[in-house]
Amino acid sequence: MNHHALIEQIVVEVLKRLDKSDKQHLNVKPKLLIVKESAAIDPIQIKKLETSWTLVYSDDQKENLPKDIQGILFAEAKQDLLVKGALGITDTLESFLLAEALLEGISVSLIPSVTLGNVLLSSNQKKLVNNKYAAHLIAYKNTLEGFGVKIQSFERFLQSGLNRHSLSFTERVLTQRHVKLVEEEKITVSPKTIITPLARDTATELGKEICVIDVEGADVL
């Protein structure tokens, strides 16, 4: 085998490995915080969630949101969370995490308990004795939805999912190749990520945003 053929073979193999590595890093599943004990969730539901998200579970000892989560799911949410969330009361772990997520612009989904769902979800609504009180609870639901909270059944959550218009990039260097491979409109990176000039130019040409996420928020580059 001559030198030119050998070099070509090496280049082809390197490109194949780079392509495989790129796709692996660009297919990182977003992190979803589950606010409920994992043991209390149906294992079948957990498996369905894990096909689209990396699941993180809340710690009863920590009143802060984990880093790099793209969404938060309140499973089996009770009336207490509904009312306190709508009023901005944060005296429980759940209501505090809900408020923090809203303030930070994180996607929030609330799956009501069966009893609460019978009032809030039209598909579950039964004939209620006290319609006036039910309307009172629905008003709180409307308030939370006005803040951007999705109140829905688990099945509906699986269908709609989180907003995937953005991608969290975890590699050390963001290159032109990465930008081209990404299908999402927004690419978020950490302040430590190196962004090549070609990556920035390509993002502009393709109408994509590269955002640096830091403690203060997101700055579009």
Side-chain angles (χ1 to χ4, degrees):
M1 182 181 292
N2 60 46
H3 293 297
H4 293 293
L6 178 60
I7 292 173
E8 182 176 336
Q9 183 178 340
I10 293 173
V11 170
V12 169
E13 183 62 28
V14 170
L15 289 175
K16 284 182 180 179
R17 293 186 182 184
L18 283 174
D19 185 59
K20 182 179 180 181
S21 176
D22 287 341
K23 289 180 178 179
Q24 287 176 341
H25 291 299
L26 292 174
N27 287 328
V28 174
K29 290 183 289 187
K31 291 182 181 179
L32 177 68
L33 175 64
I34 305 291
V35 183
K36 183 182 178 183
E37 292 182 7
S38 60
I41 304 177
D42 188 332
I44 296 177
Q45 292 182 336
I46 291 178
K47 286 193 174 296
K48 289 180 178 179
L49 289 171
E50 287 176 338
T51 60
S52 300
W53 299 284
T54 297
L55 303 185
V56 180
Y57 297 96
S58 62
D59 187 339
D60 292 337
Q61 305 303 318
K62 295 181 179 180
E63 290 191 350
N64 61 294
L65 293 171
K67 293 181 179 179
D68 304 325
I69 63 168
Q70 281 74 52
I72 180 169
L73 175 66
F74 293 89
E76 291 293 318
K78 303 294 193 298
Q79 181 176 320
D80 182 76
L81 178 62
L82 175 78
V83 176
K84 288 181 177 179
L87 295 177
I89 299 173
T90 59
D91 61 349
T92 64
L93 176 64
E94 285 188 332
S95 60
F96 178 82
L97 292 176
L98 173 59
E100 287 293 294
L102 290 175
L103 288 173
E104 294 186 21
I106 296 171
S107 177
V108 178
S109 292
L110 189 153
I111 311 298
S113 63
V114 175
T115 301
L116 188 59
N118 288 334
V119 178
L120 302 183
L121 305 180
S122 58
S123 59
N124 291 356
Q125 282 184 352
K126 299 178 180 179
K127 186 175 181 180
L128 301 172
V129 176
N130 194 329
N131 291 322
K132 188 172 183 179
Y133 185 66
H136 182 63
L137 294 179
I138 291 173
Y140 286 125
K141 170 180 178 282
N142 294 336
T143 297
L144 277 179
E145 289 181 331
F147 297 152
V149 177
K150 298 176 183 177
I151 301 177
Q152 56 197 340
S153 66
F154 179 80
E155 291 72 21
R156 182 65 177 173
F157 174 78
L158 287 177
Q159 293 174 4
S160 61
L162 299 176
N163 184 354
R164 292 309 309 276
H165 293 301
S166 64
L167 172 85
S168 292
F169 184 75
T170 58
E171 275 294 273
R172 186 74 179 86
V173 180
L174 179 68
T175 67
Q176 179 188 46
R177 184 180 183 81
H178 292 129
V179 173
K180 288 182 176 180
L181 286 173
V182 169
E183 296 180 357
E184 287 77 6
E185 299 171 356
K186 181 186 290 186
I187 306 169
T188 60
V189 300
S190 77
K192 296 181 180 179
T193 302
I194 298 172
I195 305 169
T196 67
L198 277 177
R200 291 178 177 172
D201 294 341
T202 302
T204 301
E205 292 172 4
L206 298 178
K208 298 178 180 180
E209 293 179 344
I210 300 175
C211 299
V212 176
I213 301 297
D214 55 22
V215 177
E216 303 298 328
D219 297 322
V220 180
L221 299 181

